[in-house]
Amino acid sequence: MANNNGVIEVGVAEVDITPDYPIRLSGYGSRRTESDGIIQRIWAKALAIGSDSDDPVVLVTVENCGLPDELTEEVSRRVKEKTGISRAHFAACFTHTHSAPCLTNAAPFLFSTDIPPDQQETIDRYTRQFKDWMEAVALEALANREPAKLTWSIGELGFAKNRRTEGGPVDHSLPCLQVRDLDGHLRAVWASYACHCTTLAGTDNHICGDWAGFAQENIQKVLPGVTALITIGCGADANPESRMMPMPDGQEEVFNTRLAYAKAHGEALSQEVQRLLVNDTKPLLNVPTGVFERVNLPFDTLPTLEEWKARVAEGGSRAYHAQKHLERLQQGQPPQTELSYPVQAWRFGDELAIVFLASEVVVDYSLRLKKELDVERLWVGAYANAFPGYIPSERVLAEGGYEGGDAMLYFGPPTRFAPGVEQLVIDTVHRLLPAGFLAESQ
């Protein structure tokens, strides 16, 4: 139901989440020491939409590689206890920068070796602070709500490139939501792009938001007083094109080149957001309604006890993964046969549906949903709510490789997914959205 001639209460907030101490960074298993310093400070931001009588929604975005499912659930519970906001109306997204601190139980096997106890203690300390920051920024955004008008539009950006196949599929769309006060002044923008946040490489050990961080920084520099939030679409099999370009000789030269590319990608996104501010924005007259459902995604045939033992004997990263699962079995813990996967959507009346898919989702999901649903009223996001591993499509699962199952070694599940997971996720999205969002051909 439209709210008061399109006037909607909106609050924005941000909090600096940069640790003031060295800490292991996530994203690259080759890094085994604590961070060397800070290139760029990192942030948690929040957007609250709707008055208390509207049953508001809250989006929290964080510059981190990935949020463990249980962490998001805990923060959501805390916010609900203090505000009454339901789980369906609380969404948490992460930019997947590979230059941010480790969080407890996020990609727990990433380093293929146990983290030293003193370093793990620092990670646990940061994780406790991190949860407090997430809760605080959500509550601050709710406290900051003021009358506003919402618009949205879809732009295009070109630096994502399929990293599995030359010329392979990508999603270059850039959906963007704009928040203006009643005098027309811009207060916030939220934009999403489907690409890995991996311009910087594992040879560098500094804290940085990568291209998403530089995009936010550039937008806020060019548009003073505006809060910029960046989230990531179905870019699990896409890298920044610069990631696959030849690099100069010398570690310092490579670092400087990659850093320049990260800033350039961020500026390109900022420029497209600025263009969208004056081009064909569509009003959003409704406070969104949230829906949330979990679907169980089955794993493929699990290794036998003998197979686990054989892998341990082989050595390498497979051995570490196998040893951990062998220990669980020997402790009498039942093997994990399926993954509880959260799917969420926010619907602004019949004007726009935003889908939040958890973790690292390959581009096929976005492209398929845009065929089956009305592409003019659809925003497909990923890297939301949980970080259990790569979510392959049926095509990628059959092709295999890193995104098709090999990466499970670093996330913890016992094996790759079974065939059929794509349809389970797609069916869940369809259940969450009314038939009015189907494409006309459906």
Side-chain angles (χ1 to χ4, degrees), residues 130-185:
F130 189 91
K131 289 186 281 193
D132 291 344
W133 281 322
M134 282 185 67
E135 177 188 352
V137 79
L139 296 176
E140 185 181 346
L142 286 162
N144 288 344
R145 284 172 292 175
E146 298 175 1
K149 293 209 170 186
L150 298 177
T151 54
W152 85 289
S153 45
I154 304 176
E156 191 169 303
L157 202 56
F159 67 77
K161 185 174 182 180
N162 191 293
R163 69 185 193 182
R164 290 172 58 88
T165 307
E166 182 65 34
V170 288
D171 182 357
H172 280 156
S173 65
L174 183 81
C176 180
L177 182 145
Q178 304 94 17
V179 181
R180 292 178 174 84
D181 65 22
L182 298 189
D183 293 325
H185 299 128

Side-chain angles (χ1 to χ4, degrees), residues 4-84:
N4 193 20
N5 296 319
V7 176
I8 296 172
E9 286 193 18
V10 179
V12 292
E14 61 180 12
V15 61
D16 190 330
I17 59 171
T18 316
D20 57 1
Y21 44 83
I23 184 171
R24 277 254 189 151
L25 304 184
S26 188
Y28 297 116
S30 58
R31 287 188 299 219
R32 304 299 175 89
T33 59
E34 294 183 322
S35 54
D36 295 327
I38 301 165
I39 294 172
Q40 180 189 47
R41 303 195 73 80
I42 52 176
W43 299 82
K45 301 181 180 181
L47 190 64
I49 304 174
S51 66
D52 288 345
S53 61
D54 293 321
D55 193 8
V57 298
V58 177
L59 168 72
V60 175
T61 66
V62 294
E63 293 185 82
N64 193 270
C65 195
L67 295 175
D69 196 341
E70 67 271 17
L71 187 154
T72 304
E73 291 297 322
E74 179 182 336
V75 175
S76 177
R77 279 196 303 272
R78 288 195 203 175
V79 172
K80 183 178 181 179
E81 286 169 5
K82 294 183 178 177
T83 67

Side-chain angles (χ1 to χ4, degrees), residues 17 36 40 58 102 125 235 237 249 281 297 328 373 402 433:
I17 59 171
D36 295 327
Q40 180 189 47
V58 177
C102 290
R125 170 192 172 190
D237 44 353
D249 295 327
T281 59
L297 305 183
R328 290 175 182 175
L373 299 167
Y402 189 74
L433 296 179

Side-chain angles (χ1 to χ4, degrees), residues 40 45 63 157 159 174 189 191 209-222 228-230 262-271 273-274:
Q40 180 189 47
K45 301 181 180 181
E63 293 185 82
L157 202 56
F159 67 77
L174 183 81
V189 293
D210 208 285
W211 63 258
F214 287 115
Q216 293 179 105
E217 191 176 274
N218 191 284
I219 291 167
Q220 294 183 173
K221 180 180 178 182
V222 173
L229 301 89
I230 302 295
K263 292 178 178 178
H265 295 328
E267 185 175 357
L269 192 151
S270 172
Q271 289 175 348
V273 165
Q274 293 168 59

Side-chain angles (χ1 to χ4, degrees), residues 34 115-124:
E34 294 183 322
I115 296 173
D118 60 325
Q119 294 187 9
Q120 185 61 55
E121 189 177 323
T122 302
I123 293 169
D124 294 343

